[in-house]
């Protein structure tokens, strides 16, 4: 049994699926960070851990309930000749919710930037935050499980990949979330990414497939540009500080 599970082909599948689950888990990290940020500070870590744990449980339940998952693709009704299944309705609802949620967060982030320090900060409910995380976990889990099953039929390998990716994401979720939320430009970029993901999920519910490369590559490029801009700002402030202290900044010689 161990020779079968840990064969070269299965190890390659495990590595590939783990990397894929980590990439797809970035969606969860961003949305959990955004939702938990509305909570009081002492509740944020607990919401983050519970949210990620629910994502893990949801994926494993869907993984080992493939027959039920397949039944969700059966058409329930037709609208203008277009069939809609249970999975389609979940994707439509989840996509709309994500678009509305991310758009509202963008608006509130812009309002906070122009508000005074005396303006009270919006504080959310812990139960409401967990409910929102659960809803989006279900939507993201559909995409994750269906993609994983398409790569390999070995449920044990998929289960290992999901668990390993969960541990990796759990280790870095707080660091990544805080890094994004403490930088307004990155927060807006992350929210724009969630709006794009929401549109994609909604289109999936309408049977309009959108290749993930069209989303991740432009957003990855935008992230690189923003990181370069942040680095440029740091260097500019450093040079300004050196000049303010009377220190001549180094010059490049040709």
């Amino acid at each position: 049994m161990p020779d079968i599970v840990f064969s070269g082909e299965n190890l390659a599948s495990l590595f590939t699926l783990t990397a894929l689950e980590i990439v797809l888990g970035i969606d969860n990290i961003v949305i959990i960070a955004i939702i938990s940020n509305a909570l009081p500070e002492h509740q944020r870590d607990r919401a983050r851990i519970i949210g990620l744990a629910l994502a893990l449980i949801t994926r494993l339940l869907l993984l080992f309930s493939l027959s039920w998952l397949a039944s969700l693709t059966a058409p329930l009704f037709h609208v203008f000749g277009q069939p809609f299944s249970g999975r389609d309705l979940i994707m439509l609802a989840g996509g709309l919710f994500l678009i509305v949620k991310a758009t509202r967060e963008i608006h509130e982030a812009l309002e906070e930037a122009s508000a005074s320090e005396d303006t009270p900060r919006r504080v959310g409910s812990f139960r409401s935050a967990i409910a929102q995380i659960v809803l989006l976990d279900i939507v993201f889990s559909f995409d994750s499980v269906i993609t994983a099953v398409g790569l390999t039929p070995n449920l044990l390998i998929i289960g290992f990949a999901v668990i390993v990716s969960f541990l990796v994401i759990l280790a870095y979720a707080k660091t990544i979330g805080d890094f994004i939320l403490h930088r307004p430009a990155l927060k807006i970029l992350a929210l724009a990414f969630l709006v794009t993901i929401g549109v994609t999920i909604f289109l999936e519910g309408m049977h309009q497939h959108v290749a993930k490369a069209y989303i991740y590559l432009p957003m990855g490029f935008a992230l690189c540009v923003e990181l370069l801009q942040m680095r440029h700002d740091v260097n500019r402030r450093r040079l300004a500080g050196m000049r303010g202290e009377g220190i001549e900044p180094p010059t490049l010689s040709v």
Side-chain angles (χ1 to χ4, degrees), residues 26 57 68 70 105 125 130 133 145 147 153 163 171 199 215 240 245:
I26 294 176
I57 294 171
W68 174 79
E105 290 291 339
S125 162
I130 295 300
I133 291 172
V145 170
T147 302
I163 293 173
V199 172
I215 300 173
E245 295 175 359

Side-chain angles (χ1 to χ4, degrees), residues 120-183:
R121 181 181 176 275
R122 177 178 60 89
V123 178
S125 162
F126 185 81
R127 290 185 178 181
S128 173
I130 295 300
Q132 293 177 52
I133 291 172
V134 169
L135 171 62
L136 293 173
D137 278 344
I138 293 173
V139 176
F140 289 140
S141 294
F142 274 107
D143 187 36
S144 174
V145 170
I146 291 173
T147 302
V149 173
L151 290 176
T152 176
N154 193 322
L155 298 185
L156 192 58
I157 293 297
I158 299 175
F160 273 133
V162 170
I163 293 173
V164 171
S165 64
F166 165 77
L167 295 176
V168 173
I169 291 173
L170 181 62
Y172 293 98
K174 178 176 173 57
T175 302
I176 295 175
D178 291 345
F179 181 79
I180 292 174
L181 294 177
H182 292 160
R183 291 161 177 80

Side-chain angles (χ1 to χ4, degrees), residues 78-104:
H78 292 72
V79 177
F80 299 112
Q82 176 75 34
F84 287 93
S85 63
R87 176 183 176 274
D88 295 333
L89 296 180
I90 293 175
M91 301 294 276
L92 289 171
L96 280 176
F97 176 80
L98 192 55
I99 293 170
V100 172
K101 177 68 178 177
T103 303
R104 287 184 59 187

